[in-house]
Amino acid sequence: MIYHSTRDIENTVSFKEAVIKGLASDGGLFVPESIEKLSKEFFDNIEDMSVVDLATEVMKPYVGDEIPETELKNILEEVLSFDFPLVEVDENKFALELFHGPTLAFKDVGAGFLARCLGYFSDKNRKVTVLVATSGDTGSAVANGFYGVEGTEVVILYPSGKVSASQEKQLTTYGGNITALEVDGTFDDCQAMVKQAFQDSELNNHLNLSSANSINVARFIPQALYYFIALGKFMKGDKDIFVSVPSGNFGNILAGIYAKNMGLKVDKFIVSNNVNNPVVEYLNGDDFRTRPSIHTVSNAMDIGAPSNFERLQFLYPELSDLKEVVEGYSYSDEETLESIEDIYKRTSYLPDPHGAVAYLGLTEAMKSSDNAVGVFVETAHPAKFIETFTEEQKSKLGVPERLSKFMDKEKVSIKMDNTFGSFKEYLLSR
Ligand SMILES: *Cc1c(COP(=O)(O)O)cnc(C)c1O
Protein backbone atom coordinates (compact mmCIF):
# COMPACT_ATOMS: atom_id res chain seq x y z
CA MET A 1 0.00 0.00 0.00
CA ILE A 2 1.19 3.46 -0.90
CA TYR A 3 0.49 6.27 1.55
CA HIS A 4 0.48 9.95 0.68
CA SER A 5 0.15 13.26 2.47
CA THR A 6 -3.27 14.84 2.93
CA ARG A 7 -1.69 18.02 1.55
CA ASP A 8 -0.08 16.56 -1.56
CA ILE A 9 -1.04 13.26 -3.17
CA GLU A 10 2.30 13.26 -5.02
CA ASN A 11 4.14 13.13 -1.68
CA THR A 12 4.11 9.33 -1.31
CA VAL A 13 5.76 6.86 1.08
CA SER A 14 5.65 3.15 1.89
CA PHE A 15 3.90 1.79 4.99
CA LYS A 16 7.25 1.47 6.71
CA GLU A 17 8.20 5.06 6.00
CA ALA A 18 4.77 6.31 7.08
CA VAL A 19 5.14 4.45 10.38
CA ILE A 20 8.65 5.68 11.08
CA LYS A 21 8.08 9.27 10.00
CA GLY A 22 4.66 9.69 11.60
CA LEU A 23 3.98 12.99 9.89
CA ALA A 24 4.50 13.90 6.21
CA SER A 25 7.35 16.26 5.38
CA ASP A 26 4.87 18.94 4.23
CA GLY A 27 3.12 18.90 7.63
CA GLY A 28 0.16 16.85 6.30
CA LEU A 29 -0.97 13.47 7.60
CA PHE A 30 -0.39 10.21 5.78
CA VAL A 31 -3.44 8.46 4.36
CA PRO A 32 -3.66 5.24 2.37
CA GLU A 33 -3.92 5.73 -1.37
CA SER A 34 -7.21 3.83 -1.38
CA ILE A 35 -9.67 2.19 0.99
CA GLU A 36 -10.99 -0.93 -0.72
CA LYS A 37 -14.14 -2.82 0.17
CA LEU A 38 -13.50 -6.22 1.72
CA SER A 39 -14.91 -9.22 -0.12
CA LYS A 40 -18.44 -10.57 0.17
CA GLU A 41 -16.91 -13.80 1.42
CA PHE A 42 -15.25 -11.93 4.26
CA PHE A 43 -18.55 -10.44 5.38
CA ASP A 44 -20.40 -13.75 4.94
CA ASN A 45 -17.95 -15.34 7.38
CA ILE A 46 -17.40 -12.44 9.72
CA GLU A 47 -19.20 -14.04 12.66
CA ASP A 48 -17.33 -17.32 12.38
CA MET A 49 -13.79 -16.03 12.00
CA SER A 50 -11.39 -15.83 14.91
CA VAL A 51 -10.52 -12.31 16.01
CA VAL A 52 -6.95 -12.69 14.77
CA ASP A 53 -7.97 -14.03 11.34
CA LEU A 54 -10.49 -11.26 10.96
CA ALA A 55 -7.94 -8.64 12.02
CA THR A 56 -5.34 -10.02 9.62
CA GLU A 57 -7.76 -9.79 6.68
CA VAL A 58 -8.64 -6.20 7.56
CA MET A 59 -5.05 -5.04 8.11
CA LYS A 60 -3.33 -6.91 5.27
CA PRO A 61 -4.02 -4.35 2.53
CA TYR A 62 -2.65 -1.52 4.70
CA VAL A 63 0.54 -3.30 5.63
CA GLY A 64 1.07 -4.92 2.23
CA ASP A 65 4.09 -7.16 1.97
CA GLU A 66 6.17 -4.94 4.23
CA ILE A 67 5.48 -7.22 7.19
CA PRO A 68 5.08 -10.92 6.27
CA GLU A 69 1.61 -12.30 6.97
CA THR A 70 2.75 -14.73 9.67
CA GLU A 71 4.51 -11.90 11.50
CA LEU A 72 1.46 -9.65 11.10
CA LYS A 73 -0.65 -12.41 12.64
CA ASN A 74 1.72 -12.69 15.60
CA ILE A 75 1.60 -8.97 16.16
CA LEU A 76 -2.20 -8.92 16.02
CA GLU A 77 -2.44 -11.89 18.33
CA GLU A 78 -0.40 -10.06 20.97
CA VAL A 79 -2.23 -6.80 20.51
CA LEU A 80 -5.78 -8.22 20.54
CA SER A 81 -5.34 -10.39 23.61
CA PHE A 82 -8.41 -9.10 25.46
CA ASP A 83 -12.16 -8.80 24.86
CA PHE A 84 -14.24 -6.08 23.23
CA PRO A 85 -17.67 -6.82 24.68
CA LEU A 86 -20.96 -5.21 23.71
CA VAL A 87 -23.02 -4.73 26.87
CA GLU A 88 -26.73 -4.00 26.52
CA VAL A 89 -27.40 -1.03 28.78
CA ASP A 90 -30.84 0.04 27.58
CA GLU A 91 -33.14 -1.63 25.11
CA ASN A 92 -31.27 -1.53 21.78
CA LYS A 93 -28.45 0.55 23.26
CA PHE A 94 -25.14 -1.15 23.77
CA ALA A 95 -21.90 -0.03 25.39
CA LEU A 96 -18.93 -1.16 23.31
CA GLU A 97 -16.34 -1.60 26.04
CA LEU A 98 -12.89 -0.93 24.70
CA PHE A 99 -11.19 -0.73 28.09
CA HIS A 100 -10.27 -4.32 28.85
CA GLY A 101 -6.65 -3.91 27.78
CA PRO A 102 -3.56 -3.37 29.94
CA THR A 103 -4.02 0.38 30.52
CA LEU A 104 -7.84 0.34 30.60
CA ALA A 105 -8.45 2.65 27.64
CA PHE A 106 -9.07 1.90 23.99
CA LYS A 107 -5.67 3.19 22.96
CA ASP A 108 -3.96 -0.08 23.88
CA VAL A 109 -4.70 -1.61 20.49
CA GLY A 110 -3.29 1.20 18.38
CA ALA A 111 -0.33 1.85 20.64
CA GLY A 112 0.52 -1.85 20.88
CA PHE A 113 0.31 -2.30 17.11
CA LEU A 114 2.48 0.75 16.47
CA ALA A 115 5.09 -0.31 19.03
CA ARG A 116 5.39 -3.75 17.46
CA CYS A 117 5.57 -2.37 13.91
CA LEU A 118 8.29 0.08 14.92
CA GLY A 119 10.10 -2.71 16.75
CA TYR A 120 9.89 -4.81 13.56
CA PHE A 121 11.15 -1.99 11.33
CA SER A 122 13.72 -0.54 13.72
CA ASP A 123 17.30 -0.30 12.65
CA LYS A 124 19.20 -1.89 15.52
CA ASN A 125 22.00 0.64 15.02
CA ARG A 126 19.93 3.75 15.36
CA LYS A 127 17.38 4.16 18.12
CA VAL A 128 14.02 5.68 17.34
CA THR A 129 12.89 8.44 19.67
CA VAL A 130 9.11 8.34 19.82
CA LEU A 131 7.42 11.63 20.71
CA VAL A 132 3.88 11.62 21.99
CA ALA A 133 1.56 14.29 23.30
CA THR A 134 -1.20 13.04 25.56
CA SER A 135 -4.42 14.38 27.00
CA GLY A 136 -4.42 11.42 29.38
CA ASP A 137 -4.73 7.93 27.98
CA THR A 138 -2.43 7.93 24.99
CA GLY A 139 0.60 8.37 27.21
CA SER A 140 -0.05 5.31 29.32
CA ALA A 141 -1.02 3.13 26.35
CA VAL A 142 2.13 4.17 24.50
CA ALA A 143 4.28 3.72 27.60
CA ASN A 144 2.86 0.25 28.13
CA GLY A 145 3.16 -0.65 24.43
CA PHE A 146 6.78 0.52 24.12
CA TYR A 147 8.13 -0.27 27.58
CA GLY A 148 11.19 -2.41 27.07
CA VAL A 149 10.85 -2.50 23.23
CA GLU A 150 14.43 -2.56 22.03
CA GLY A 151 15.63 0.27 19.84
CA THR A 152 13.00 2.71 21.08
CA GLU A 153 13.02 5.67 23.48
CA VAL A 154 9.71 7.32 24.32
CA VAL A 155 9.17 10.94 25.36
CA ILE A 156 5.66 11.71 26.60
CA LEU A 157 4.40 15.30 26.90
CA TYR A 158 1.38 15.87 29.12
CA PRO A 159 -0.37 19.01 30.38
CA SER A 160 0.42 19.52 34.05
CA GLY A 161 -2.64 19.32 36.32
CA LYS A 162 -4.98 18.45 33.43
CA VAL A 163 -4.91 14.65 33.51
CA SER A 164 -6.56 12.52 36.16
CA ALA A 165 -4.51 11.26 39.11
CA SER A 166 -4.52 7.68 37.90
CA GLN A 167 -3.67 8.70 34.33
CA GLU A 168 -0.70 10.67 35.62
CA LYS A 169 0.59 7.74 37.65
CA GLN A 170 0.24 5.49 34.63
CA LEU A 171 2.48 7.63 32.52
CA THR A 172 5.08 8.79 35.02
CA THR A 173 5.99 5.54 36.75
CA TYR A 174 7.40 3.26 34.06
CA GLY A 175 11.01 4.48 33.93
CA GLY A 176 13.35 2.56 31.63
CA ASN A 177 12.99 3.79 28.05
CA ILE A 178 9.97 5.96 28.97
CA THR A 179 10.36 9.64 29.97
CA ALA A 180 7.46 11.91 30.99
CA LEU A 181 7.61 15.68 30.41
CA GLU A 182 5.15 17.63 32.53
CA VAL A 183 4.28 20.69 30.48
CA ASP A 184 2.96 23.90 31.99
CA GLY A 185 0.24 24.32 29.35
CA THR A 186 -2.60 22.56 27.56
CA PHE A 187 -2.75 19.40 25.50
CA ASP A 188 -2.81 21.54 22.36
CA ASP A 189 0.49 23.11 23.44
CA CYS A 190 1.96 19.62 23.86
CA GLN A 191 0.68 18.56 20.44
CA ALA A 192 2.03 21.73 18.80
CA MET A 193 5.46 21.16 20.39
CA VAL A 194 5.56 17.62 19.02
CA LYS A 195 4.44 18.70 15.55
CA GLN A 196 7.06 21.42 15.45
CA ALA A 197 9.78 18.97 16.42
CA PHE A 198 9.11 16.99 13.25
CA GLN A 199 9.60 20.09 11.12
CA ASP A 200 12.90 21.03 12.78
CA SER A 201 15.86 19.87 10.71
CA GLU A 202 18.44 20.29 13.48
CA LEU A 203 16.43 17.98 15.73
CA ASN A 204 15.85 15.47 12.96
CA ASN A 205 19.57 15.30 12.30
CA HIS A 206 20.27 14.75 15.96
CA LEU A 207 17.53 12.16 16.64
CA ASN A 208 15.63 9.59 14.64
CA LEU A 209 12.18 10.92 15.50
CA SER A 210 8.86 9.14 15.25
CA SER A 211 5.38 9.93 16.49
CA ALA A 212 3.00 7.77 18.48
CA ASN A 213 -0.01 10.07 18.32
CA SER A 214 -3.03 9.02 16.33
CA ILE A 215 -1.46 10.93 13.47
CA ASN A 216 0.61 7.76 12.99
CA VAL A 217 -1.10 5.38 10.55
CA ALA A 218 -0.06 2.32 12.55
CA ARG A 219 -1.94 3.67 15.55
CA PHE A 220 -4.95 4.95 13.81
CA ILE A 221 -5.89 2.27 11.24
CA PRO A 222 -5.96 -0.78 13.60
CA GLN A 223 -8.70 1.01 15.54
CA ALA A 224 -11.01 0.02 12.69
CA LEU A 225 -10.77 -3.50 14.12
CA TYR A 226 -13.00 -2.76 17.11
CA TYR A 227 -15.87 -2.08 14.77
CA PHE A 228 -15.37 -5.22 12.70
CA ILE A 229 -15.04 -7.36 15.81
CA ALA A 230 -18.06 -5.94 17.60
CA LEU A 231 -20.48 -4.98 14.84
CA GLY A 232 -20.04 -7.76 12.30
CA LYS A 233 -23.00 -9.53 13.83
CA PHE A 234 -25.32 -6.71 12.78
CA MET A 235 -24.42 -7.11 9.08
CA LYS A 236 -27.34 -9.38 8.33
CA GLY A 237 -30.00 -7.48 10.28
CA ASP A 238 -32.30 -4.82 8.87
CA LYS A 239 -31.88 -2.28 11.65
CA ASP A 240 -30.17 1.07 11.26
CA ILE A 241 -26.85 0.93 13.07
CA PHE A 242 -25.84 4.08 14.95
CA VAL A 243 -22.38 4.29 16.50
CA SER A 244 -21.52 7.14 18.86
CA VAL A 245 -17.85 7.79 19.51
CA PRO A 246 -16.57 10.20 22.17
CA SER A 247 -14.02 12.09 20.12
CA GLY A 248 -10.94 14.15 20.86
CA ASN A 249 -8.37 13.90 18.12
CA PHE A 250 -10.85 11.94 15.98
CA GLY A 251 -8.58 8.94 15.40
CA ASN A 252 -11.04 6.40 16.77
CA ILE A 253 -14.11 7.64 14.91
CA LEU A 254 -12.15 8.08 11.70
CA ALA A 255 -10.99 4.47 11.90
CA GLY A 256 -14.66 3.52 12.30
CA ILE A 257 -15.49 5.53 9.20
CA TYR A 258 -12.70 3.71 7.36
CA ALA A 259 -14.34 0.44 8.46
CA LYS A 260 -17.59 1.64 6.92
CA ASN A 261 -15.72 2.46 3.71
CA MET A 262 -14.33 -1.08 3.79
CA GLY A 263 -17.91 -2.32 3.72
CA LEU A 264 -18.93 -2.68 7.37
CA LYS A 265 -22.60 -1.86 7.94
CA VAL A 266 -22.86 1.30 10.01
CA ASP A 267 -25.55 3.78 9.02
CA LYS A 268 -24.44 6.74 11.03
CA PHE A 269 -21.44 7.71 13.10
CA ILE A 270 -22.07 10.23 15.85
CA VAL A 271 -19.35 12.59 16.96
CA SER A 272 -19.93 13.09 20.66
CA ASN A 273 -18.00 15.97 22.16
CA ASN A 274 -17.72 17.98 25.33
CA VAL A 275 -17.54 21.78 24.95
CA ASN A 276 -14.37 21.41 22.89
CA ASN A 277 -16.36 21.03 19.70
CA PRO A 278 -14.96 22.63 16.53
CA VAL A 279 -15.99 19.61 14.43
CA VAL A 280 -19.57 19.67 15.72
CA GLU A 281 -19.73 23.34 14.76
CA TYR A 282 -18.37 22.51 11.34
CA LEU A 283 -21.00 19.79 10.89
CA ASN A 284 -23.61 22.39 11.77
CA GLY A 285 -22.44 24.62 8.95
CA ASP A 286 -19.93 26.91 10.66
CA ASP A 287 -16.33 27.33 9.60
CA PHE A 288 -13.88 24.90 11.17
CA ARG A 289 -12.21 26.99 13.85
CA THR A 290 -9.60 25.57 16.17
CA ARG A 291 -9.22 27.23 19.54
CA PRO A 292 -7.55 26.75 22.91
CA SER A 293 -8.88 23.71 24.73
CA ILE A 294 -11.05 23.98 27.81
CA HIS A 295 -10.60 21.59 30.72
CA THR A 296 -13.59 19.28 31.33
CA VAL A 297 -14.47 16.09 33.23
CA SER A 298 -14.04 14.11 29.99
CA ASN A 299 -10.46 15.30 29.73
CA ALA A 300 -9.29 12.94 26.99
CA MET A 301 -11.51 14.98 24.66
CA ASP A 302 -10.18 18.40 25.74
CA ILE A 303 -8.81 19.12 22.31
CA GLY A 304 -9.43 22.38 20.51
CA ALA A 305 -7.45 21.50 17.38
CA PRO A 306 -8.25 17.86 16.52
CA SER A 307 -5.50 16.63 14.24
CA ASN A 308 -7.43 13.94 12.37
CA PHE A 309 -9.91 16.50 11.08
CA GLU A 310 -7.49 16.89 8.21
CA ARG A 311 -7.95 13.22 7.30
CA LEU A 312 -11.71 13.45 7.70
CA GLN A 313 -11.81 16.41 5.36
CA PHE A 314 -9.53 14.66 2.90
CA LEU A 315 -11.97 11.74 2.80
CA TYR A 316 -15.06 13.94 2.54
CA PRO A 317 -14.11 17.31 1.07
CA GLU A 318 -17.78 18.23 0.74
CA LEU A 319 -19.65 18.89 3.96
CA SER A 320 -22.82 17.40 2.46
CA ASP A 321 -21.03 14.07 1.84
CA LEU A 322 -19.61 14.07 5.36
CA LYS A 323 -23.06 14.68 6.78
CA GLU A 324 -24.39 11.57 5.05
CA VAL A 325 -22.09 9.57 7.32
CA VAL A 326 -21.60 11.66 10.43
CA GLU A 327 -23.60 13.86 12.75
CA GLY A 328 -22.38 15.53 15.90
CA TYR A 329 -23.45 16.80 19.31
CA SER A 330 -21.69 18.39 22.25
CA TYR A 331 -22.42 18.50 25.96
CA SER A 332 -21.42 20.45 29.05
CA ASP A 333 -19.87 18.92 32.16
CA GLU A 334 -23.18 19.39 33.95
CA GLU A 335 -24.99 17.34 31.30
CA THR A 336 -22.24 14.72 31.39
CA LEU A 337 -22.50 14.26 35.16
CA GLU A 338 -26.29 14.14 34.96
CA SER A 339 -26.00 11.52 32.25
CA ILE A 340 -23.75 9.35 34.43
CA GLU A 341 -26.23 9.59 37.28
CA ASP A 342 -29.22 8.95 35.01
CA ILE A 343 -27.71 5.85 33.38
CA TYR A 344 -26.50 4.54 36.72
CA LYS A 345 -29.84 5.09 38.49
CA ARG A 346 -31.92 3.50 35.75
CA THR A 347 -29.68 0.65 34.67
CA SER A 348 -26.97 0.30 37.36
CA TYR A 349 -24.40 0.55 34.55
CA LEU A 350 -21.71 3.08 35.46
CA PRO A 351 -20.22 4.72 32.37
CA ASP A 352 -17.00 6.74 32.40
CA PRO A 353 -17.42 10.46 31.57
CA HIS A 354 -16.48 9.93 27.91
CA GLY A 355 -18.93 7.09 27.50
CA ALA A 356 -21.60 9.22 29.18
CA VAL A 357 -21.09 11.95 26.57
CA ALA A 358 -21.33 9.32 23.83
CA TYR A 359 -24.54 7.99 25.35
CA LEU A 360 -26.09 11.46 25.20
CA GLY A 361 -25.10 11.85 21.53
CA LEU A 362 -26.42 8.41 20.70
CA THR A 363 -29.74 9.06 22.40
CA GLU A 364 -30.18 12.31 20.49
CA ALA A 365 -29.30 10.74 17.15
CA MET A 366 -31.55 7.70 17.61
CA LYS A 367 -34.61 9.93 17.84
CA SER A 368 -34.52 10.07 14.03
CA SER A 369 -35.14 6.33 13.59
CA ASP A 370 -37.66 3.89 15.00
CA ASN A 371 -35.77 0.85 13.80
CA ALA A 372 -32.29 1.35 15.16
CA VAL A 373 -29.63 -0.36 17.18
CA GLY A 374 -27.29 2.03 18.93
CA VAL A 375 -23.77 1.55 20.17
CA PHE A 376 -21.90 4.04 22.34
CA VAL A 377 -18.22 3.53 22.76
CA GLU A 378 -16.90 3.21 26.30
CA THR A 379 -13.37 4.39 25.66
CA ALA A 380 -11.98 4.02 29.17
CA HIS A 381 -12.67 2.18 32.40
CA PRO A 382 -14.63 4.42 34.79
CA ALA A 383 -12.06 3.79 37.55
CA LYS A 384 -9.62 5.98 35.59
CA PHE A 385 -11.88 8.93 36.39
CA ILE A 386 -12.82 8.12 39.95
CA GLU A 387 -12.77 11.79 40.98
CA THR A 388 -15.82 12.53 38.81
CA PHE A 389 -18.12 10.14 40.67
CA THR A 390 -20.40 10.60 43.65
CA GLU A 391 -19.72 8.60 46.81
CA GLU A 392 -22.51 6.19 45.94
CA GLN A 393 -21.20 5.66 42.42
CA LYS A 394 -17.66 5.17 43.75
CA SER A 395 -18.82 2.42 46.06
CA LYS A 396 -20.12 0.52 43.03
CA LEU A 397 -16.78 0.87 41.27
CA GLY A 398 -14.26 -1.88 41.57
CA VAL A 399 -10.76 -0.62 40.80
CA PRO A 400 -8.97 -3.26 38.73
CA GLU A 401 -5.66 -4.46 40.04
CA ARG A 402 -3.84 -3.43 36.86
CA LEU A 403 -4.82 0.16 37.63
CA SER A 404 -4.36 0.21 41.41
CA LYS A 405 -0.83 -1.15 41.18
CA PHE A 406 0.31 2.15 39.63
CA MET A 407 -1.05 4.24 42.48
CA ASP A 408 1.63 3.17 44.96
CA LYS A 409 4.51 3.95 42.64
CA GLU A 410 6.40 7.22 42.70
CA LYS A 411 5.76 9.79 39.99
CA VAL A 412 8.84 10.84 38.02
CA SER A 413 8.47 13.71 35.54
CA ILE A 414 10.55 16.51 34.05
CA LYS A 415 8.82 19.89 34.35
CA MET A 416 8.87 22.12 31.32
CA ASP A 417 7.28 25.35 30.08
CA ASN A 418 5.12 25.23 26.95
CA THR A 419 7.60 26.68 24.46
CA PHE A 420 9.13 24.78 21.61
CA GLY A 421 12.52 26.27 22.49
CA SER A 422 12.64 24.49 25.84
CA PHE A 423 11.49 21.22 24.32
CA LYS A 424 14.09 21.42 21.58
CA GLU A 425 16.87 22.21 24.05
CA TYR A 426 15.83 19.21 26.10
CA LEU A 427 15.79 16.88 23.08
CA LEU A 428 19.16 18.12 21.85
CA SER A 429 20.60 17.33 25.27
CA ARG A 430 19.55 13.69 25.04
C1 LIG B 1 -8.19 9.27 23.56
C2 LIG B 1 -9.52 9.19 24.17
C3 LIG B 1 -10.65 9.67 23.52
C4 LIG B 1 -10.58 10.39 22.20
O1 LIG B 1 -10.19 9.54 21.16
P1 LIG B 1 -9.74 10.12 19.75
O2 LIG B 1 -9.34 8.97 18.95
O3 LIG B 1 -8.58 11.05 20.04
O4 LIG B 1 -10.89 10.89 19.20
C5 LIG B 1 -11.89 9.48 24.11
N1 LIG B 1 -12.00 8.87 25.30
C6 LIG B 1 -10.93 8.41 25.98
C7 LIG B 1 -11.14 7.79 27.30
C8 LIG B 1 -9.66 8.54 25.43
O5 LIG B 1 -8.61 8.07 26.09
Side-chain angles (χ1 to χ4, degrees):
M1 174 69 75
I2 304 282
Y3 289 80
H4 61 69
S5 167
T6 44
R7 297 187 189 171
D8 178 7
I9 59 171
E10 306 289 324
N11 186 356
T12 61
V13 291
S14 64
F15 175 66
K16 175 177 169 176
E17 280 173 278
V19 171
I20 293 176
K21 286 189 176 155
L23 197 67
S25 51
D26 57 15
L29 306 186
F30 291 122
V31 287
E33 186 184 42
S34 61
I35 306 169
E36 300 294 333
K37 284 224 172 0
L38 289 153
S39 67
K40 176 171 181 308
E41 194 193 347
F42 170 85
F43 286 110
D44 284 346
N45 295 329
I46 194 163
E47 284 182 84
D48 306 321
M49 266 188 268
S50 73
V51 165
V52 173
D53 286 345
L54 182 155
T56 307
E57 286 305 306
V58 173
M59 290 307 295
K60 237 172 22 188
Y62 300 93
V63 173
D65 55 9
E66 295 178 61
I67 298 177
E69 188 169 332
T70 46
E71 183 60 30
L72 177 63
K73 255 201 165 115
N74 290 341
I75 291 175
L76 289 166
E77 188 144 20
E78 281 174 30
V79 169
L80 300 167
S81 58
F82 47 89
D83 291 336
F84 306 90
L86 270 179
V87 178
E88 188 157 19
V89 171
D90 266 339
E91 205 186 339
N92 283 325
K93 273 187 205 154
F94 295 83
L96 171 52
E97 293 186 348
L98 300 183
F99 56 68
H100 295 274
T103 72
L104 302 96
F106 79 88
K107 296 188 172 76
D108 283 320
V109 167
F113 188 77
L114 169 61
R116 284 162 181 83
C117 287
L118 267 181
Y120 180 81
F121 290 138
S122 77
D123 172 352
K124 302 296 176 258
N125 302 316
R126 192 160 185 236
K127 279 197 172 179
V128 181
T129 301
V130 177
L131 303 182
V132 61
T134 182
S135 59
D137 292 323
T138 297
S140 50
V142 167
N144 179 75
F146 280 85
Y147 181 65
V149 172
E150 229 181 293
T152 66
E153 292 282 336
V154 176
V155 178
I156 300 170
L157 291 81
Y158 75 96
S160 182
K162 297 189 176 70
V163 301
S164 80
S166 84
Q167 286 174 329
E168 182 169 46
K169 284 282 185 168
Q170 279 188 301
L171 47 96
T172 57
T173 56
Y174 275 89
N177 61 334
I178 313 292
T179 305
L181 300 185
E182 183 174 353
V183 174
D184 186 12
T186 63
F187 168 75
D188 292 312
D189 296 335
C190 297
Q191 183 153 271
M193 288 158 83
V194 167
K195 280 196 174 169
Q196 206 174 335
F198 287 104
Q199 315 267 35
D200 189 288
S201 52
E202 196 184 347
L203 269 181
N204 282 279
N205 288 334
H206 179 69
L207 294 170
N208 191 13
L209 293 180
S210 186
S211 157
N213 276 103
S214 56
I215 52 179
N216 196 306
V217 292
R219 249 203 73 196
F220 134 71
I221 297 177
Q223 303 182 134
L225 296 171
Y226 313 131
Y227 301 97
F228 284 101
I229 293 168
L231 307 181
K233 67 173 180 186
F234 296 125
M235 289 296 292
K236 288 177 191 134
D238 64 348
K239 295 211 186 242
D240 298 331
I241 311 296
F242 287 72
V243 178
S244 173
V245 187
S247 296
N249 249 333
F250 285 70
N252 191 1
I253 195 167
L254 186 66
I257 294 168
Y258 270 41
K260 178 177 165 67
N261 281 273
M262 292 179 223
L264 187 71
K265 177 173 161 59
V266 175
D267 294 280
K268 210 56 157 210
F269 279 96
I270 296 122
V271 169
S272 292
N273 271 167
N274 58 33
V275 292
N276 298 283
N277 64 351
V279 178
V280 172
E281 290 181 349
Y282 174 76
L283 285 164
N284 290 336
D286 290 338
D287 288 339
F288 178 71
R289 271 183 319 230
T290 63
R291 50 182 185 244
S293 49
I294 298 164
H295 186 54
T296 74
V297 294
S298 47
N299 68 322
M301 308 198 284
D302 295 349
I303 296 175
S307 50
N308 282 299
F309 179 71
E310 191 162 329
R311 284 189 173 118
L312 196 61
Q313 216 180 15
F314 184 84
L315 193 59
Y316 298 106
E318 294 297 329
L319 177 62
S320 55
D321 294 335
L322 179 63
K323 284 173 76 164
E324 293 283 310
V325 182
V326 180
E327 57 191 87
Y329 302 95
S330 61
Y331 299 95
S332 66
D333 275 359
E334 201 182 355
E335 290 167 310
T336 306
L337 296 175
E338 274 170 19
S339 168
I340 294 174
E341 179 66 5
D342 163 61
I343 298 166
Y344 176 65
K345 275 267 144 69
R346 283 188 301 106
T347 71
S348 82
Y349 187 87
L350 189 61
D352 92 289
H354 306 80
V357 170
Y359 180 92
L360 287 170
L362 180 67
T363 304
E364 187 62 39
M366 283 176 77
K367 287 181 185 161
S368 68
S369 168
D370 48 20
N371 185 36
V373 174
V375 172
F376 66 101
V377 179
E378 257 290 300
T379 42
H381 193 289
K384 288 193 104 167
F385 304 94
I386 196 150
E387 49 271 55
T388 53
F389 296 115
T390 63
E391 288 309 316
E392 191 196 336
Q393 291 163 353
K394 275 183 198 161
S395 65
K396 143 103 187 177
L397 245 188
V399 177
E401 201 268 329
R402 60 195 193 288
L403 184 59
S404 57
K405 71 171 190 225
F406 286 100
M407 298 313 280
D408 307 327
K409 294 192 189 157
E410 198 189 335
K411 159 184 161 182
V412 180
S413 69
I414 297 173
K415 295 214 171 187
M416 185 162 290
D417 64 43
N418 62 352
T419 60
F420 178 66
S422 306
F423 182 44
K424 178 170 172 179
E425 195 179 318
Y426 167 75
L427 288 175
L428 287 174
S429 74
R430 281 177 66 99

